[in-house]
């Protein structure tokens, strides 16, 4: 089934008659490939279709999974999905024309539009054309825009070269985004990134600041004896998050010293080996706790 | 008391201003597109400026718990560069229907030249087409005549007065603006426009209907707290609270609310400006501990 058809059906049950009529008229216009029509319908989407959150049935989730986009379809709003529909329906057979039109859309976008555009990256035809645009999103000073590229989005994993990828991960640490929501985090771990992250941890410690324990997830596979000293200290710290993070990182390493350290606490070691504790579970808990602290 | 500043150029202001405004009760601001002091010579400069009004500046404001809206337009000064102005007119429709764009503005006359007149009229037509309110900048020089002409031209284009905010009024222009059914904006701007003691007397004389106060704070010697300060002065000098609320909050809401893009729930329903909130990240406050804006913190001296 075509992507646009699936999206259209997903959307249609959430639209009022007026909104539906408006969208249909716009879709007919868009097929003609006039950029102005795309610009206008794209920017007026929220005022025409509203901003309700989409509810997605189990059946629909299955269909969406089959599309293989790697996108998280939960928590999306009607205006965002309408905008995606416009993007994938606009004629794209001429690669450079399509890219030029979308670049204009990116460069004139408001905050919510930028977020919708960056989240749509994995859906766009000719994805390789948008590699530079994705790095622009990573450079954004607006956290929501950065996270639209970096979190729950398969595009960086699929399209970014190593240096762009590493900047994405580093920046996520700098601005406090939850790392476990970066797709392909483990697959794209690399020794250059591990080295930068260890340096970053040392800088934080020197300044008397704490280090997000998720950092060690990307260091574990590249452990050497020097970095192991950091983990050893971490393991023996009073902070239980740090201690668990050190153990999880040790479990990723083939270093015999790391193994020994891990086995010091058989209960913890056992939980990790039986999959009861892993980085994702750990991170989710970490951010859930942080979230609870914020509640009044 | 909740305050709206319906005319302020936040792009020229610092984060300290945002913080002080929030503390003084400002919940929402409208930033009209204007000139930047330095004339622009390329259409791309306009594009980036408009993008920042709906992008970066909106985000920056949200960090401090203030909702940021804007009006889009080509200002009168820069309308005089005709070839450039033509290109800007092509650009405007792209921005005018975006979320949070509450009108076309600030447009009108400066030197009252032919070119200014041409682009004022073109933009009135755009506003009419989109059903948006118009925020009109009135000239500093030959003010009274310029104000009357602005209203005449709006009427000529069939724009009803209830959709037009005539700005930068004074004691001399107020009567005709109000008599003809337009909204009257008053700018509390040190030295060149209105002082707030004069403003108190304006409200005493004309009442509170269709009058709104703004700061027009920008890159010049101006005061981003002009509206809350004026509200306080009015209360101190015996203006009834209901009237103060009208001129410092409700009238702006009613006038620009006609765009369908300016909704009280945007800030009433929003929680406090918790800077750790998901979509209001802390990159402006890079490296700072997020602070709850409802509390006063005395430990500002320590740099962590
Ligand atoms: Zn102004």
């Amino acid at each position: 089934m075509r992507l646009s058809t699936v999206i259209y059906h997903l959307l249609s049950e959430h639209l009022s008659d007026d909104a539906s009529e408006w969208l249909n008229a716009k879709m007919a216009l868009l097929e003609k490939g006039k950029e102005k029509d795309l610009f206008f319908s794209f920017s007026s989407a929220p005022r025409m279709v509203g901003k309700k959150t989409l509810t997605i049935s189990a059946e629909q989730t299955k269909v969406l999974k089959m599309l293989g986009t790697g996108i998280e379809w939960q928590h999306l709003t009607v205006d965002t999905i309408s905008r995606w529909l416009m993007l994938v329906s606009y004629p794209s057979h001429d690669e450079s024309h399509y890219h030029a039109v979308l670049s204009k859309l990116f460069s004139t976008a408001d905050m919510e539009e930028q977020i919708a555009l960056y989240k749509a990256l994995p859906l766009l035809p000719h994805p390789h054309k948008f590699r530079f645009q994705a790095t622009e999103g990573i450079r954004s000073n607006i956290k929501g825009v950065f996270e639209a590229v970096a979190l729950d989005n398969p595009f960086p994993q699929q399209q970014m070269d190593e240096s762009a990828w590493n900047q994405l991960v580093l920046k996520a640490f700098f601005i406090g985004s939850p790392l476990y929501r970066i797709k392909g985090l483990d697959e794209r771990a690399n020794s250059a990134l591990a080295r930068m992250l260890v340096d970053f941890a040392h800088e934080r410690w020197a300044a008397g600041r704490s280090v997000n324990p998720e950092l060690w997830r990307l260091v574990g596979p590249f452990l050497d004896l020097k970095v192991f000293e950091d983990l050893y200290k971490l393991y023996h710290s009073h902070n239980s998050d740090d201690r668990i993070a050190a153990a999880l990182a040790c479990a990723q390493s083939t270093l015999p010293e790391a193994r020994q350290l891990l086995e010091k606490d058989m209960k913890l070691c056992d939980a990790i080996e039986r999959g009861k504790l892993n980085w994702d579970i750990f991170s989710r808990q970490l951010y859930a706790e942080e979230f609870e602290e914020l509640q009044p | 008391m909740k305050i709206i500043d319906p005319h302020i150029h936040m792009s020229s202001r610092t984060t300290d201003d945002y913080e002080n405004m929030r503390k003084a009760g400002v919940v929402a601001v409208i930033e009209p597109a204007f000139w930047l002091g330095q004339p622009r010579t390329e259409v791309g400069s306009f594009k980036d400026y408009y993008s920042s009004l709906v992008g970066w500046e909106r985000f920056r404001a949200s960090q401090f718990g203030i909702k940021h809206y804007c009006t889009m337009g080509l200002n009168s000064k820069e309308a005089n560069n005709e070839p450039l102005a033509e290109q800007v007119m092509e650009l405007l429709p792209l921005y005018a229907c975006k979320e949070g764009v509450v009108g076309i503005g600030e447009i009108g006359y400066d030197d009252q030249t032919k070119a200014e007149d041409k682009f004022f009229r073109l933009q009135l037509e755009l506003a009419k087409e989109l059903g948006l309110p118009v925020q009109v900048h009135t000239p500093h020089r030959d003010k009274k005549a310029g104000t009357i002409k602005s209203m005449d031209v709006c009427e000529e284009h069939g724009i009803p007065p209830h959709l037009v905010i005539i700005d930068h009024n004074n004691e001399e222009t107020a009567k005709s603006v109000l008599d003809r059914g337009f909204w009257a904006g008053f700018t509390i701007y040190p030295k060149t426009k209105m002082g707030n003691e004069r403003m108190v007397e304006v409200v005493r004389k004309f009442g509170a209907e269709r009058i709104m106060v703004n700061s027009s704070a920008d890159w010049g010697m101006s005061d981003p707290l002009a509206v809350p300060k004026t509200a306080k002065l009015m209360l101190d000098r015996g203006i009834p609270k209901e009237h103060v609320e009208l001129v410092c909050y409700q009238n702006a809401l009613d006038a620009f609310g006609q765009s369908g893009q300016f909704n009280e729930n945007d800030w009433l329903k929003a929680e406090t400006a918790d800077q750790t909130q998901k979509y209001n990240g802390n990159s402006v406050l890079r490296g700072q501990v997020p602070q709850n804006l409802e509390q006063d913190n005395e430990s500002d001296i320590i740099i962590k």
Side-chain angles (χ1 to χ4, degrees):
Chain A
M1 227 198 289
R2 279 177 61 197
L3 180 63
S4 54
T5 319
V6 177
I7 300 182
Y8 184 83
H9 284 303
L10 200 64
L11 204 54
S12 53
E13 51 195 87
H14 292 86
L15 295 180
S16 69
D17 291 348
D18 284 352
S20 181
E21 198 180 310
W22 177 82
L23 191 64
N24 286 333
K26 290 297 167 193
M27 296 308 290
L29 266 182
L30 286 185
E31 274 174 26
K32 296 184 184 136
K34 276 208 204 123
E35 59 173 37
K36 278 257 156 77
D37 291 328
L38 177 62
F39 297 156
F40 288 130
S41 34
F42 191 84
S43 62
S44 14
R47 58 177 83 184
M48 304 311 290
V49 301
K51 304 184 76 168
K52 268 201 219 115
T53 304
L54 233 60
T55 46
I56 298 177
S57 69
E59 195 53 42
Q60 285 167 327
T61 309
K62 254 189 228 162
V63 178
L64 289 167
K65 263 236 161 85
M66 282 194 301
L67 286 172
T69 58
I71 280 188
E72 303 287 342
W73 294 87
Q74 306 301 328
H75 314 301
L76 291 169
T77 51
V78 170
D79 56 324
T80 301
I81 305 276
S82 304
R83 283 172 163 162
W84 288 4
L85 180 62
M86 295 168 191
L87 296 176
V88 298
S89 305
Y90 190 80
S92 60
H93 45 84
D94 181 343
E95 201 175 295
S96 47
H97 174 72
Y98 185 76
H99 176 250
V101 172
L102 261 76
S103 297
K104 279 189 205 168
L105 212 49
F106 270 105
S107 72
T108 55
D110 69 31
M111 205 164 83
E112 292 297 330
E113 289 174 329
Q114 288 184 60
I115 291 172
L117 282 164
Y118 282 113
K119 282 189 177 172
L121 283 175
L123 299 176
L124 299 183
H126 322 300
H128 62 281
K129 281 281 200 183
F130 295 95
R131 284 177 189 158
F132 171 72
Q133 190 65 59
T135 62
E136 288 286 276
I138 293 304
R139 276 185 275 272
S140 173
N141 251 346
I142 302 176
K143 193 177 185 187
V145 172
F146 168 81
E147 292 190 338
V149 191
L151 305 188
D152 307 320
N153 188 335
F155 188 88
Q157 176 187 13
Q158 292 160 0
Q159 297 289 341
M160 278 187 180
D161 64 25
E162 188 175 290
S163 71
W165 173 265
N166 290 352
Q167 285 307 316
L168 181 158
V169 177
L170 274 175
K171 185 158 173 178
F173 276 109
F174 266 88
I175 66 177
S177 298
L179 264 281
Y180 75 99
R181 285 173 55 197
I182 299 175
K183 298 229 169 196
L185 199 58
D186 297 317
E187 293 86 338
R188 295 218 46 184
N190 60 77
S191 58
L193 179 60
R195 199 266 309 147
M196 285 191 266
L197 288 173
V198 171
D199 285 354
F200 172 62
H202 286 182
E203 271 177 55
R204 301 271 310 175
W205 285 334
R209 300 188 173 114
S210 62
V211 173
N212 177 353
E214 284 187 290
L215 181 140
W216 305 102
R217 176 176 187 166
L218 299 170
V219 174
F222 304 96
L223 219 53
D224 59 24
L225 278 176
K226 176 122 191 32
V227 178
F228 175 72
E229 283 174 29
D230 291 334
L231 278 191
Y232 187 86
K233 262 186 267 168
L234 210 62
Y235 186 90
H236 292 97
S237 80
H238 294 297
N239 183 318
S240 68
D241 288 335
D242 282 345
R243 187 177 142 83
I244 296 170
L248 283 165
C250 282
Q252 290 170 292
S253 169
T254 51
L255 215 65
E257 287 82 353
R259 185 79 217 161
Q260 277 166 24
L261 187 61
L262 178 65
E263 283 171 1
K264 269 188 146 178
D265 180 343
M266 275 324 285
K267 221 172 124 193
L268 189 58
C269 176
D270 194 53
I272 293 171
E273 290 194 334
R274 293 198 301 139
K276 292 229 155 128
L277 178 63
N278 61 31
W279 278 111
D280 279 349
I281 295 168
F282 170 73
S283 293
R284 256 185 223 119
Q285 208 155 3
L286 196 67
Y287 289 99
E289 275 164 20
E290 224 168 76
F291 186 73
E292 264 160 34
E293 274 166 29
L294 290 177
Q295 304 301 303
Chain B
M1 185 184 289
K2 292 190 296 293
I3 303 274
I4 292 171
D5 190 340
H7 186 146
I8 183 164
H9 301 282
M10 291 313 299
S11 302
S12 304
R13 310 301 311 188
T14 65
T15 52
D16 283 0
D17 292 334
Y18 270 126
E19 211 166 349
N20 293 330
M21 287 162 70
R22 183 71 183 86
K23 276 185 191 151
V26 177
V27 290
V29 295
I30 297 171
E31 175 154 10
F34 197 46
W35 79 306
L36 299 170
Q38 170 77 28
R40 282 163 281 206
T41 59
E42 308 281 346
V43 68
S45 312
F46 280 90
K47 187 181 114 180
D48 291 338
Y49 173 66
Y50 295 147
S51 294
S52 92
L53 290 184
V54 292
W56 175 242
E57 203 53 48
R58 190 178 282 180
F59 170 74
R60 219 164 66 97
S62 73
Q63 299 276 290
F64 299 89
I66 293 179
K67 289 292 286 183
H68 181 278
Y69 302 82
C70 64
T71 57
M72 283 291 175
L74 168 65
N75 66 82
S76 48
K77 263 181 204 289
E78 286 171 300
N80 287 301
N81 180 346
E82 262 194 87
L84 181 58
E86 296 283 359
Q87 296 177 61
V88 177
M89 284 306 298
E90 294 265 297
L91 204 58
L92 276 178
L94 291 184
Y95 290 95
C97 20
K98 287 197 193 292
E99 256 189 295
V101 175
V102 298
I104 299 296
E106 55 185 299
I107 59 173
Y109 297 107
D110 189 50
D111 290 344
Q112 304 183 48
T113 63
K114 262 190 166 162
E116 290 174 15
D117 187 59
K118 172 183 164 186
F119 290 104
F120 181 39
R121 289 169 186 274
L122 283 172
Q123 293 184 89
L124 289 178
E125 285 300 315
L126 177 65
K128 202 168 134 183
E129 191 189 327
L130 301 173
L132 285 174
V134 182
Q135 192 171 24
V136 176
H137 164 97
T138 53
H140 302 271
R141 299 170 296 279
D142 196 12
K143 184 170 209 71
K144 202 169 178 184
T147 304
I148 289 168
K149 189 173 169 192
S150 305
M151 292 189 287
D152 291 346
V153 172
C154 287
E155 282 174 354
E156 206 183 300
H157 283 263
I159 307 213
H162 69 83
L163 275 174
V164 182
I165 299 94
I166 302 287
D167 216 338
H168 314 318
N169 281 286
N170 58 29
E171 293 88 342
E172 291 297 302
T173 59
K175 188 169 184 323
S176 68
V177 171
L178 292 168
D179 283 351
R180 292 172 69 167
F182 290 84
W183 298 91
F186 287 83
T187 298
I188 310 303
Y189 198 101
K191 297 191 182 85
T192 57
K193 294 189 176 87
M194 289 279 291
N196 58 4
E197 293 187 286
R198 281 163 62 196
M199 191 65 222
V200 176
E201 296 316 312
V202 165
V203 173
R204 216 190 293 282
K205 182 170 172 195
F206 291 99
E209 199 188 331
R210 276 182 288 114
I211 286 178
M212 64 183 84
V213 179
N214 65 66
S215 72
S216 289
D218 54 12
W219 30 258
M221 295 235 297
S222 44
D223 188 347
L225 298 179
V227 184
K229 282 179 183 170
T230 304
K232 181 160 190 311
L233 191 68
M234 284 181 186
L235 291 173
D236 289 351
R237 298 207 174 167
I239 303 289
K241 189 161 181 250
E242 310 87 72
H243 286 194
V244 180
E245 278 170 345
L246 282 172
V247 298
C248 297
Y249 181 80
Q250 192 64 43
N251 287 345
L253 183 58
D254 292 343
F256 290 98
Q258 297 177 92
S259 65
Q261 294 294 301
F262 196 47
N263 191 331
E264 204 177 23
N265 278 338
D266 292 355
W267 54 88
L268 292 187
K269 285 213 175 146
E271 289 150 46
T272 52
D274 186 337
Q275 291 158 357
T276 53
Q277 246 170 36
K278 193 176 164 210
Y279 285 113
N280 303 331
N282 58 357
S283 55
V284 179
L285 313 153
R286 198 173 293 134
Q288 287 181 19
V289 177
Q291 44 185 276
N292 189 329
L293 297 175
E294 300 299 316
Q295 299 165 347
D296 276 325
N297 54 323
E298 308 242 319
S299 56
D300 280 343
I301 313 153
I302 300 160
I303 301 166
K304 280 196 177 170

